[in-house]
Amino acid sequence: MSGGPTHDYIVIGSGAGGAVVAARLAEEGRTVLVIEAGGDPLAKTDDSSDMPLADACRVPAFHAFASEHPGMAENHWVRHYENQEIQERDWRYSREKDGVLYPRVRGLGGCTAHHAMIIVRPNHCDWNHIFSITGDESWKASHMQGYFERIERCRYRFFLWRWLAAATGLNPTGHGWWGWMTTERALPLRVLRDWPLWRALLRCVGAAADAFGKRGSDWETTEIDPNDNRNWNAGACGVRVTPLATRRHVRHGPRERLLDVMKRHPDRLTLRLNTTVTRIEFDGKRAVAVRCIAGEGREEVIRAGREIILAGGTFASPQLLMLSGIGDPGHLAEHRISVVEALPGVGRNLQDRYEVGVVSRVTEPWSALKGVTYTTRDAHYRRWRRFRIGNYTSNGVMFSLTLKSRDTLSEPDLHCFSLLADFRGYYPGYSERIRKPDYMTWAILKAYTENQGGTVRLRCADPTVLPAVMFHSFFEGTGNYNLDLDAVVHAIRFVRKVNDAMDDLIASEEEPGRQNESDEALRRYVAENAWGHHACGTCAIGPREGGGVLDSRFRVHGIEGLRVVDASVFPRIPGYFLATAVYMIAEKAADVILADSQLETR
């Protein structure tokens, strides 16, 4: 074992949770070591390629290509069903890999290096739910709102609101103005050039809403800022234009946050790249060190002065806990791993969205996409590089719709995105379809899914082998799967109604295809083809007798000096996008860690 501890805290993982909590702790005077299994994607340059890794990460429009870039992709292959016959009905399923592609990242920033940068704060019910199961009032939505304002640096709203907050302390919008996460809106050329299309789409959306009886107090006819307190009506449906986590229309997030703090406080924050943690070491019931392997294959044990913070993500965090002896005793015994703490909830409670795409070929290529190649060699890239304008400032979403699948719901449970692209889920080479200029996709996302029955399990005791991920979708999982199926079918019919009003533009529907017209056919299509990319919940906050892994202060039950801070902590999947929620819980985790450290020193 190495010498005495030189860092107060060791943070395992540099993604949405790890980078944010580490940066805050270092700013507050603590010494922190961040261990990241991958490298820095923006430090890698390859000018001979049409898609250098650094550009794939930085350019908002290239995010799909970033997710498949071999320079940082760590692909998981997941199963949606244990039933082999049903699993094989998904055309994305690979027999060779025994799964469906689930893009992940090994590199600085984690999956924030390839995600779509959408920033929508969670609904109040998401935080109040955690309060209800823990009794910890600091989880109430009224308190959690402060973390959103802490992290955001809003730059797409009228500057007078920022001036008002600075001069008077009044902040009716609920935006943050001076945080580390810059939010912007992109106005791509496609909107300007295809303004008639934009207006036609909005009219068709309104017509579809009328046809579905959605107009009235429950439907907002004009687009609103989803993060503005004054318009915040959790029960309202309608058009949304979502902001992006970009700075001057370049991807900006936890990676930049971490590097900024490291530059300002090099004596407090240390970063080790290309280093894989293989096990957490314990002294009795206290986590004291991490065993890791550096890029050159050298094994090392690093001690922590105070605590170890695990932020590997929904798949990696439960894997490392189990490899370290924390988990279901029966499962650990299968792999001859000695039990340090029996916590059967580790690796359970896996949840995700259900997503499908209504993909249509249009009658002629979109004029706004003329000359777009999604490479670094076209004029659109040059406009972005030199002036930060044009199509490549956008993540590809024109606008989105929020819908309720049932009128009795308190919050919308459906998000539908309009994309001038061909997007049919994840499989090797999926990003190449994005280049087609004559397609339109409505990507449907089912939030607040019923199923909490997924699992992450060890394949073996070798830490280099990725875990087995089984979602147990729909009827194999928990809850009323019929509600989820019916909800997605409802959304398909809604966006079809929008497309029907644009019949002069739509040539044919390729997915799900008009041959799938009945409710039964659409339900079958959804059950066999739905995917997701918001996995969470595998180290859930909650009482251990109910399957919880963590207490309300992110501490692993029964273990001292070990916390988990990433998407795995959510007992129920929050709406609607995970990144913002993880940023907020990471800031909260930093607060409770600092508070606990002060108590220890008294």
Side-chain angles (χ1 to χ4, degrees):
M1 200 174 272
S2 64
T6 57
H7 307 278
D8 295 329
Y9 299 95
I10 296 176
V11 178
I12 306 170
S14 67
V20 174
V21 69
R24 182 65 66 186
L25 290 174
E27 279 189 329
E28 296 299 325
R30 305 306 190 267
T31 56
V32 184
L33 169 65
V34 178
I35 301 177
E36 167 55 49
D40 182 359
L42 268 67
K44 301 177 181 180
T45 58
D46 179 7
D47 295 335
S48 65
S49 170
D50 285 342
M51 186 63 68
L53 179 54
D55 282 310
C57 293
R58 296 172 69 232
V59 182
F62 292 175
H63 63 89
F65 303 96
S67 71
E68 290 203 273
H69 202 291
M72 66 176 184
E74 182 179 64
N75 294 333
H76 285 253
W77 294 86
V78 308
R79 290 182 63 103
H80 296 143
Y81 293 102
E82 189 170 6
N83 184 297
Q84 185 66 22
E85 179 185 353
I86 297 174
Q87 179 62 79
E88 291 189 0
R89 294 175 189 169
D90 185 344
W91 60 268
R92 303 165 194 82
Y93 172 75
S94 166
R95 283 192 177 185
E96 178 186 0
K97 301 290 187 179
D98 189 26
V100 177
L101 176 64
Y102 203 107
R104 299 278 91 178
V105 165
R106 177 182 285 250
L108 186 60
C111 288
T112 66
H114 78 180
H115 76 332
M117 297 154 285
I118 294 172
I119 297 298
V120 176
R121 65 175 181 172
N123 287 324
H124 293 335
C125 65
D126 300 323
W127 305 125
N128 290 333
H129 171 69
I130 299 178
F131 159 64
S132 70
I133 64 174
T134 64
D136 185 340
E137 294 195 355
S138 69
W139 282 101
K140 284 185 176 180
S142 56
H143 182 258
M144 294 301 296
Q145 168 64 21
Y147 291 114
F148 181 78
E149 295 179 21
R150 176 194 288 185
I151 66 176
E152 189 187 24
R153 183 175 180 266
C154 181
R155 289 300 181 266
Y156 64 92
R157 298 308 303 269
F158 195 37
F159 77 92
L160 285 179
W161 291 119
R162 187 165 72 239
W163 175 87
L164 179 68
T168 69
L170 297 176
N171 190 23
T173 68
H175 277 292
W177 305 108
W178 303 283
W180 56 263
M181 180 186 69
T182 303
T183 54
E184 301 174 322
R185 278 182 175 171
L187 187 62
L189 293 179
R190 68 186 58 164
V191 175
L192 300 178
R193 186 177 294 179
D194 277 332
W195 185 245
L197 167 65
W198 179 271
R199 289 185 297 177
L201 270 172
L202 291 178
R203 285 198 301 270
C204 294
V205 168
D210 285 335
F212 276 74
K214 293 294 185 183
R215 290 297 183 96
S217 60
D218 200 36
W219 181 268
E220 292 160 341
T221 56
T222 58
E223 68 87 5
I224 69 165
D225 174 1
N227 298 325
D228 191 322
N229 260 344
R230 297 167 304 158
N231 298 323
W232 190 251
N233 179 357
C237 306
V239 177
R240 304 287 186 269
V241 177
T242 51
L244 306 181
T246 59
R247 182 169 291 184
R248 293 190 64 245
H249 302 296
V250 178
R251 180 189 297 275
H252 190 273
R255 173 192 175 275
E256 290 69 32
R257 166 70 167 151
L258 191 68
L259 293 180
D260 171 65
V261 175
M262 191 167 64
K263 182 179 180 180
R264 290 187 285 116
H265 303 289
D267 57 325
R268 302 179 195 166
L269 184 56
T270 304
L271 175 63
R272 291 187 56 163
L273 299 173
N274 301 305
T275 302
T276 301
V277 175
T278 59
R279 180 181 172 84
I280 298 168
E281 301 286 348
F282 300 91
D283 182 1
K285 293 282 187 174
R286 183 171 186 85
V288 295
V290 298
R291 185 176 296 274
C292 56
I293 300 176
E296 64 275 13
R298 178 174 53 86
E299 187 175 56
E300 183 179 359
V301 175
I302 307 173
R303 295 185 62 87
R306 288 185 178 273
E307 294 187 14
I308 295 167
I309 301 163
L310 178 52
T314 299
F315 300 154
S317 285
Q319 179 190 22
L320 187 54
L321 286 179
M322 289 185 283
L323 289 170
S324 303
I326 300 174
D328 186 319
H331 180 61
L332 298 182
E334 293 174 9
H335 301 287
R336 298 181 179 180
I337 297 174
S338 300
V339 176
V340 175
E341 184 68 20
L343 282 178
V346 173
R348 298 190 182 275
N349 192 52
L350 175 63
Q351 301 166 60
D352 208 337
R353 320 286 185 201
Y354 291 126
E355 299 183 46
V356 298
V358 176
V359 182
S360 302
R361 186 170 59 82
V362 296
T363 53
E364 60 183 48
W366 301 110
S367 61
L369 298 183
K370 184 177 180 180
V372 169
T373 64
Y374 294 104
T375 69
T376 59
R377 304 188 186 279
D378 64 25
H380 296 273
Y381 172 78
R382 290 192 291 272
R383 292 190 191 101
W384 174 85
R385 187 185 63 193
R386 295 173 184 171
F387 309 111
R388 298 294 191 256
I389 62 173
N391 283 337
Y392 291 171
T393 64
S394 167
N395 64 353
V397 177
M398 292 185 66
F399 62 84
S400 62
L401 308 175
T402 59
L403 304 171
K404 287 182 181 178
S405 61
R406 306 188 309 278
D407 291 336
T408 55
L409 294 176
S410 57
E411 295 87 18
D413 63 328
L414 295 163
H415 263 254
C416 308
F417 302 91
S418 59
L419 308 167
L420 302 190
D422 181 353
F423 177 54
R424 310 182 187 210
Y426 302 105
Y427 55 92
Y430 86 94
S431 58
E432 287 302 309
R433 284 187 181 268
I434 306 291
R435 301 185 195 275
K436 297 180 179 180
D438 56 346
Y439 276 83
M440 178 175 180
T441 298
W442 284 100
I444 294 168
L445 181 153
K446 172 65 176 78
Y448 297 117
T449 45
E450 292 282 308
N451 183 23
Q452 296 177 255
T455 60
V456 173
R457 284 289 176 259
L458 298 176
R459 297 182 190 272
C460 63
D462 184 347
T464 65
V465 176
L466 297 178
V469 180
M470 176 74 73
F471 281 99
H472 289 298
S473 296
F474 294 109
F475 54 86
E476 280 192 1
T478 62
N480 187 346
Y481 68 89
N482 287 303
L483 294 178
D484 289 332
L485 284 173
D486 290 341
V488 180
V489 170
H490 175 85
I492 292 172
R493 295 203 179 282
F494 189 97
V495 299
R496 275 181 170 177
K497 186 69 68 174
V498 176
N499 285 353
D500 288 344
M502 301 169 59
D503 56 0
D504 57 328
L505 292 174
I506 304 298
S508 62
E509 179 184 294
E510 297 187 1
E511 296 284 347
R514 290 291 179 155
Q515 72 275 12
N516 292 308
E517 184 59 38
S518 68
D519 284 350
E520 180 182 358
L522 287 174
R523 283 165 56 92
R524 183 171 59 252
Y525 175 86
V526 172
E528 295 172 358
N529 289 277
W531 69 85
H533 67 288
H534 290 164
C536 64
T538 51
C539 299
I541 292 171
R544 65 185 300 163
E545 59 271 18
V549 177
L550 312 175
D551 67 12
S552 68
R553 301 179 76 81
F554 305 93
R555 297 174 296 201
V556 176
H557 287 308
I559 299 293
E560 296 179 5
L562 180 61
R563 307 192 200 226
V564 181
V565 183
D566 56 33
S568 70
V569 311
F570 295 108
R572 183 185 70 171
I573 188 167
Y576 298 93
F577 305 94
L578 282 180
T580 309
V582 177
Y583 299 157
M584 292 170 69
I585 64 108
E587 291 284 354
K588 177 178 173 54
D591 279 357
V592 299
I593 291 168
L594 291 166
D596 287 350
S597 70
Q598 290 169 357
L599 288 175
E600 291 175 5
T601 57
R602 288 179 181 174

